[in-house]
C-alpha cells in the first residue's frame, strides 16, 4: 500500500484556513481518497483539553510563553503518534489546520522565544513526521481582524485578542519562512474569494501529486 500525504495549512487568524481545508477534503474524497482532517491544538482527546486551556479556559489567561510552547508541543506529540502517522501509513491524506510551523512563528518569533529552543521542541514533538506540502494563506492584519470580528461576535479567544503588533510579527515571520522553504510552501493571497483559493489549492496539489480531476 502506498503511503498517504500530509498537507498542512498555515496563516494568521482570519485567513480562511478552515474553509479551504473543508473544501479540499470534499474534493479529495470525491476522487476516491481517504482523508483525515485534524487541527492544532487538538485532534485527540488530550489535545482538545489542551486546546481549551490554551484558548478559552480562565486558568490560561496568565500563561507564560514558555508554558504555551510546552502545551502546544504536548498536543502535537500526541497527535502525531496517535493519529497522523497511522493515517499516513494507511495511505490516507491528512489535512492539518496548523502544524509545527505555527509554533516556529507564534512562539518562536511573535512571542520572542527564539529559533533554537522552538526548533528543539518541534523536533522532539514531531520526530520525522513533517508535511509534504504547506499552503500559507497570507492576509493583511487589518483584513484578518475584520474577519475575526465578524465570525466571533465579539467573543475572541485568548490568541485572537493579541494586539496588531503581534500579528504583524506573525505575518512577516510566515512570509520569511515560506521564502526560505519554497520546495514545501505554496504562498496564496487569502484576500481572494474562497472559490478562487479553492481552485488554486486544487491545481497546485494536482500538479504535485496527481490527485485527480
Amino acid at each position: 500500500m502506498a503511503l498517504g500525504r500530509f498537507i498542512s495549512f498555515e496563516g494568521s487568524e482570519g485567513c480562511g484556513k478552515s474553509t479551504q481545508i473543508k473544501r479540499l477534503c470534499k474534493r479529495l474524497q470525491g476522487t476516491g481518497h481517504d482523508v483525515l482532517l485534524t487541527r492544532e491544538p487538538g485532534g485527540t482527546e488530550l489535545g482538545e483539553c489542551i486546546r481549551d486551556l490554551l484558548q478559552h479556559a480562565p486558568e490560561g489567561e496568565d500563561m507564560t510563553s514558555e508554558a504555551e510552547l510546552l502545551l502546544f508541543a504536548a498536543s502535537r506529540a500526541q497527535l502525531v503518534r496517535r493519529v497522523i502517522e497511522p493515517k499516513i501509513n494507511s495511505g490516507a491524506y491528512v489535512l492539518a489546520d496548523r502544524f509545527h510551523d505555527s509554533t516556529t512563528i507564534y512562539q518562536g518569533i511573535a512571542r520572542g522565544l527564539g529559533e533554537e529552543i522552538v526548533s528543539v521542541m518541534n523536533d522532539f514533538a514531531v520526530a520525522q513526521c513533517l508535511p509534504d506540502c504547506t499552503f500559507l494563506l497570507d492576509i493583511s492584519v487589518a483584513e484578518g481582524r475584520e474577519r475575526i470580528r465578524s465570525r466571533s461576535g465579539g467573543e475572541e479567544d485568548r490568541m485572537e485578542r493579541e494586539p496588531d503588533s503581534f500579528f504583524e510579527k506573525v505575518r512577516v515571520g510566515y512570509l520569511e519562512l515560506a521564502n526560505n522553504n519554497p520546495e514545501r510552501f505554496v504562498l496564496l493571497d487569502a484576500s481572494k474569494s474562497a472559490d478562487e483559493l479553492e481552485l488554486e489549492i486544487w491545481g497546485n496539489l494536482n500538479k504535485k501529486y496527481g490527485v485527480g480531476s
Side-chain angles (χ1 to χ4, degrees):
M1 179 182 293
L3 290 178
R5 297 285 183 184
F6 183 16
I7 313 298
S8 63
F9 284 72
E10 296 284 351
S12 189
E13 266 61 28
C15 69
K17 293 182 286 73
S18 300
T19 296
Q20 293 305 323
I21 287 174
K22 291 174 184 176
R23 289 186 177 214
L24 179 57
C25 176
K26 185 176 181 180
R27 278 184 175 267
L28 285 168
Q29 289 174 332
T31 55
H33 294 283
D34 181 20
V35 185
L36 171 73
L37 300 185
T38 190
R39 66 179 183 175
E40 285 208 5
T44 64
E45 290 186 3
L46 175 63
E48 292 300 321
C49 291
I50 293 173
R51 182 185 184 88
D52 183 65
L53 183 59
L54 282 163
Q55 295 188 343
H56 304 293
E59 293 83 358
E61 287 299 324
D62 192 36
M63 188 181 303
T64 67
S65 299
E66 292 82 1
E68 184 180 81
L69 170 64
L70 291 166
L71 286 170
F72 274 110
S75 176
R76 185 171 300 125
Q78 185 79 354
L79 180 64
V80 165
R81 289 156 181 82
R82 291 290 184 261
V83 178
I84 293 178
E85 285 184 333
K87 288 300 289 185
I88 293 173
N89 291 337
S90 75
Y93 270 75
V94 175
L95 308 182
D97 189 340
R98 300 198 181 282
F99 198 59
H100 72 305
D101 294 312
S102 285
T103 293
T104 297
I105 302 304
Y106 277 76
Q107 283 72 52
I109 294 177
R111 294 287 192 220
L113 293 179
E115 179 181 352
E116 184 175 356
I117 186 61
V118 170
S119 179
V120 170
M121 293 301 300
N122 274 339
D123 289 346
F124 181 69
V126 309
Q128 302 303 311
C129 185
L130 295 170
D132 298 298
C133 175
T134 299
F135 290 103
L136 172 58
L137 279 69
D138 176 54
I139 194 169
S140 71
V141 173
E143 186 169 353
R145 279 284 194 207
E146 183 57 36
R147 290 183 181 185
I148 291 170
R149 293 189 187 100
S150 296
R151 78 184 184 197
S152 69
E155 297 294 328
E156 298 176 355
D157 65 33
R158 187 179 67 90
M159 195 68 75
E160 291 170 344
R161 293 195 299 271
E162 290 292 338
D164 286 356
S165 58
F166 178 88
F167 291 112
E168 291 289 359
K169 292 178 183 177
V170 167
R171 186 185 187 193
V172 170
Y174 267 129
L175 291 173
E176 183 175 351
L177 187 62
N179 184 62
N180 292 336
N181 296 274
E183 72 288 347
R184 176 165 66 88
F185 274 86
V186 177
L187 178 61
L188 301 168
D189 179 359
S191 67
K192 293 181 179 180
S193 72
D195 290 344
E196 288 178 295
L197 286 170
E198 179 184 351
L199 290 176
E200 283 191 37
I201 290 167
W202 186 247
N204 273 281
L205 210 60
N206 202 29
K207 183 178 180 181
K208 283 177 177 288
Y209 308 122
V211 291
S213 58

